[in-house]
Amino acid sequence: MGRRKKEEKKKKNTGKIILLMILLLLLIVGGYLGYSIAKNGGGLQGVLATILGQDMEKLEDLDTIDVLLMRS
């Protein structure tokens, strides 16, 4: 009986450690994404810029796009 309890305790501790590692990883990734989104202007614009891998310095250096519309 004593051996069985030790094995169960060991499994519970291993599960807790893995869960803590996953939560810590999610916190770090979430913090980085939050910082990147805020740095890129926040809101939907910041989310899209972050997803596309852009940053504000790259977006400011882009040339303007001229569009010609012709109506018949």
Side-chain angles (χ1 to χ4, degrees):
M1 283 263 220
R3 186 180 258 185
R4 183 182 244 177
K5 285 185 179 182
K6 284 182 182 180
E7 287 178 11
E8 287 178 12
K9 233 182 204 184
K10 199 172 194 179
K11 286 181 183 179
K12 286 183 182 180
N13 286 340
T14 305
K16 287 179 184 178
I17 291 172
I18 291 172
L19 183 62
L20 283 174
M21 293 285 222
I22 291 171
L23 288 175
L24 184 63
L25 182 66
L26 286 174
L27 272 170
I28 292 170
V29 170
Y32 176 74
L33 283 175
Y35 171 74
S36 296
I37 290 169
K39 189 174 125 184
N40 285 332
L44 187 58
Q45 175 188 354
V47 172
L48 290 174
T50 302
I51 289 172
L52 295 174
Q54 300 294 322
D55 59 0
M56 289 309 286
E57 292 85 29
K58 286 182 185 177
L59 294 175
E60 288 173 355
D61 291 340
L62 292 176
D63 293 331
T64 58
I65 298 174
D66 297 323
V67 178
L68 175 65
L69 297 175
M70 299 179 71
R71 259 179 104 170
S72 57

